[in-house]
Amino acid sequence: MNLILLGPPGAGKGTQSKEIADRRGLVQLSTGDMLRAAARAGTEIGWRAKELMEKGELVADEIVIKIIADRIEEPDCRAGFI
């Protein structure tokens, strides 16, 4: 099972996704967490994201999509993610 929650900041996406992930045995993913992890990892895509985040700019969709695509291919996401 794969779920995507959308909503404005503070709407409860993180709170609800944690609860659902715990109940269903899914991996909880957060684009913010993934962007920060990529920046710390020092990968090419992470470096590009970090540069934009440090300027306070939005990270381009192509970068975010690449980071998400890479993350959901990891073994822990095989059973599903939210």
Side-chain angles (χ1 to χ4, degrees):
M1 174 187 308
N2 299 324
L3 300 171
I4 298 173
L5 301 181
L6 302 172
K13 300 176 302 290
T15 300
Q16 293 301 315
S17 65
K18 174 78 170 117
E19 183 70 25
I20 295 167
D22 289 346
R23 287 184 183 204
R24 300 288 183 171
L26 304 173
V27 175
Q28 179 191 13
L29 303 177
S30 160
T31 53
D33 291 346
M34 288 186 278
L35 285 167
R36 287 184 289 276
R40 281 192 306 273
T43 63
E44 172 67 28
I45 199 89
W47 181 84
R48 290 170 54 199
K50 181 178 180 179
E51 185 177 56
L52 292 167
M53 290 186 298
E54 286 178 346
K55 292 179 187 176
E57 297 178 11
L58 291 175
V59 178
D61 288 345
E62 67 185 39
I63 294 172
V64 175
I65 291 167
K66 172 70 172 138
I67 289 170
I68 293 169
D70 290 347
R71 178 63 181 95
I72 64 176
E73 291 298 320
E74 293 183 22
D76 64 338
C77 288
R78 287 190 184 135
F81 58 86
I82 183 166

